[in-house]
Amino acid sequence: MEALKGVKILDMTHVQAGPTCSQLLAWMGADVIKFENPQGDATRGQLRDVPNADSLYFTMLNCNKRSITVNMKTAEGKQVFVDLLKKCDIVMENFGPGVLDRFGFTWEKIHEINPRIVMGSIKGFGSTGPYSDFKAYENVAQAMGGAMSTTGVPDGAPFVTGAQIGDTGTGLHLAIGLLAALHQAARTGEGQYVEVAMMDGVMNLCRVKFRDHQRLQRGALSEYSVPTYQGMGDVPRAGNDSGGGQLCNAIHCKPHGANDWLYVVVQEAVWTALANRIGPDVGVPDLANDPRVATIAERRKNQNLVWTLLNKFAEKHTKRELMAILNPLDVPCGPIMSTQDLANDEHVKGRDMWVELDHPQRGKWFNVGMPIKLSASPAVIKRSPTLGEHTEEILKEVLGYDAGTIDKLKGAGAFSAPKKVAA
């Protein structure tokens, strides 16, 4: 039994944030109907690497869904939309402000059509407030949500993160909200409007930085490797410092390539064992008792020395070798894993996090797997749909349309782009 079997979702989202959410729900067993205009989700053709095939940008975010194309600019297309609303438990959208309203479908109208339906909406900055009409983008959300100001090195430019916390992070937040609202609707019979703003989601993911923002009102942040002081105001960029109060950094290992690094956390509990292991090899045999680093306070004060000695020790070891040395000492550490590392990693493959799929247009390709593991309903990853692949299937199975009705709607242009008129 799939966890969300029987739940129908009308998914009008596109690009990344919304499709991330609906793909997760599809992997949990929901019947996700990807509702596309006749041109299709724009990402089908973006960054295309195989001619005339859906791009990886699209396929990696739209697995396990069914695709229907509907021309909402026709009265017949709008009627199909209304009929689907009546059959679905959730409707999702991430259009720009006011787009769905201009089609005549405000939340109030949708709720009137189906009082039980839950509506999920992703906006850059929400539907209220002075920023509500601004356009958003992954990196804009990172900039305005606090992530960029705290990422990078103190004297350098702010950096975006490689992880898509603005888009994918927002999709994860929306999934939680939709499931909560669906649970409430099952109890009360009433759906509700669920909104997640990208900026809000990024702020939530930066929670520890807002912790440090308030700590700065009372004193310096002793675990930071960069200078801080009471009343500083802005939380500084601090490179690879931890957000948890422990000394942390990335150590460069042989052969000193771009990703030959091991991230190491120097916890107080493991310091003696760590110092006794590396000290003799770096010319400081009694490192554990060296007054410059013997206590956590001194190690924070002299953390540059700690990192210098660890880097010297790492010169003779690869990142995997160094990991094998530190793990028996209970030192938290992990190699900097490149995309190539992860695509070939035994642990990753064993947990079904790098899954091979077959697509009728592009052939064999890989997708990142389902990160949420349900013991009684494990996810089965299926390929993404081609544009409009399931239009007739959905019309017949979900809406109960007969062949004559479908042909009539086709003739009226309900599922296709308007014909171009010669000039």
Side-chain angles (χ1 to χ4, degrees):
M1 171 66 75
E2 296 169 298
L4 294 180
K5 186 176 179 63
V7 174
K8 279 190 168 49
I9 299 175
L10 187 57
D11 180 18
M12 305 181 77
T13 66
H14 55 288
V15 191
Q16 184 180 167
T20 294
C21 172
S22 55
Q23 180 171 258
L24 276 175
L25 299 177
W27 283 345
M28 292 180 191
D31 179 10
V32 175
I33 299 169
K34 188 168 180 68
F35 188 94
E36 301 180 75
N37 65 36
Q39 289 74 36
D41 188 320
T43 58
R44 286 184 182 271
Q46 284 184 13
L47 306 176
R48 184 175 274 156
D49 59 320
V50 176
N52 303 313
D54 288 336
S55 72
L56 287 166
Y57 195 1
F58 177 85
T59 62
M60 294 187 76
L61 291 162
N62 290 281
C63 285
N64 293 56
K65 304 177 187 180
R66 297 196 283 178
S67 170
I68 181 173
T69 56
V70 176
N71 182 0
M72 286 281 281
K73 293 182 178 179
T74 66
E76 293 81 3
K78 287 182 180 179
Q79 186 58 52
V80 170
F81 176 61
V82 168
D83 291 346
L84 284 169
L85 285 176
K86 293 176 180 178
K87 296 288 186 178
C88 289
D89 304 285
I90 293 172
V91 60
M92 298 170 52
E93 64 89 20
N94 63 342
F95 297 120
V99 170
L100 205 52
D101 293 1
R102 289 193 290 274
F103 277 112
F105 295 101
T106 61
W107 158 240
E108 290 75 20
K109 180 64 176 178
I110 289 171
H111 185 63
E112 179 185 320
I113 293 168
N114 181 356
R116 293 182 60 91
I117 202 165
V118 170
M119 182 169 181
S121 182
I122 288 176
K123 298 289 179 255
F125 305 98
S127 56
T128 60
Y131 301 159
S132 59
D133 290 333
F134 291 4
K135 282 190 174 180
Y137 189 77
E138 166 69 43
N139 295 350
V140 173
Q142 288 196 32
M144 295 185 68
M148 284 185 67
S149 73
T150 56
T151 306
V153 294
D155 298 326
F159 282 171
V160 297
T161 66
Q164 304 292 282
I165 63 174
D167 276 323
T168 290
T170 302
L172 299 179
H173 282 94
L174 182 62
I176 295 167
L178 290 176
L179 291 176
L182 192 65
H183 182 66
Q184 183 171 333
R187 297 198 321 270
T188 66
E190 284 288 320
Q192 62 184 294
Y193 180 75
V194 180
E195 179 182 271
V196 179
M198 294 170 68
M199 181 180 177
D200 297 352
V202 172
M203 283 189 69
N204 186 46
L205 296 174
C206 292
R207 191 173 295 268
V208 297
K209 298 302 181 182
F210 291 103
R211 173 203 66 191
D212 292 346
H213 173 77
Q214 294 172 89
R215 289 173 62 210
L216 279 170
Q217 297 171 18
R218 295 176 173 83
L221 309 177
S222 60
E223 77 277 12
Y224 273 55
S225 61
V226 300
T228 60
Y229 54 89
Q230 184 177 5
M232 186 174 182
D234 296 339
V235 173
R237 293 190 283 281
N240 287 320
D241 286 359
S242 164
Q246 306 290 342
L247 298 187
C248 304
N249 218 320
I251 307 303
H252 211 181
C253 305
K254 77 171 189 181
H256 299 97
N259 290 302
D260 292 316
W261 298 79
L262 186 79
Y263 195 79
V264 179
V265 181
V266 183
Q267 290 180 313
E268 186 172 6
V270 303
W271 169 249
T272 299
L274 176 62
N276 287 338
R277 177 63 182 87
I278 72 169
D281 286 26
V282 296
V284 190
D286 196 26
L287 181 60
N289 299 311
D290 189 307
R292 296 171 295 176
V293 291
T295 67
I296 182 63
E298 293 302 321
R299 285 194 295 280
R300 285 174 174 170
K301 190 185 303 180
N302 297 305
Q303 59 183 278
N304 285 339
L305 174 61
V306 174
W307 303 129
T308 298
L309 295 175
L310 276 167
N311 272 287
K312 185 176 181 181
F313 181 81
E315 288 176 355
K316 299 177 182 178
H317 306 284
T318 67
K319 61 187 180 183
R320 293 287 187 176
E321 291 169 348
L322 185 55
M323 185 181 182
I325 291 169
L326 299 184
N327 271 337
L329 304 177
D330 288 331
V331 176
C333 62
I336 306 303
M337 301 279 274
S338 68
T339 53
Q340 181 74 354
D341 289 335
L342 290 166
N344 294 286
D345 188 79
E346 183 179 346
H347 177 87
V348 170
K349 290 181 178 178
R351 290 186 57 79
D352 294 324
M353 286 305 297
W354 190 239
V355 182
E356 186 178 45
L357 297 169
D358 199 2
H359 191 277
Q361 296 171 339
R362 63 179 305 111
K364 300 288 185 182
W365 63 286
F366 287 86
N367 202 359
V368 176
M370 171 58 149
I372 304 167
K373 309 298 186 184
L374 281 70
S375 64
S377 48
V380 177
I381 311 297
K382 300 175 183 177
R383 68 165 176 87
S384 61
T386 57
L387 180 60
E389 179 178 350
H390 304 97
T391 298
E392 287 201 27
E393 177 181 299
I394 291 166
L395 295 174
K396 291 176 182 177
E397 292 182 6
V398 178
L399 299 182
Y401 289 179
D402 59 30
T405 300
I406 294 172
D407 288 342
K408 185 177 179 180
L409 289 169
K410 282 182 180 178
F415 313 116
S416 57
K419 294 180 180 179
K420 293 182 179 179
V421 180

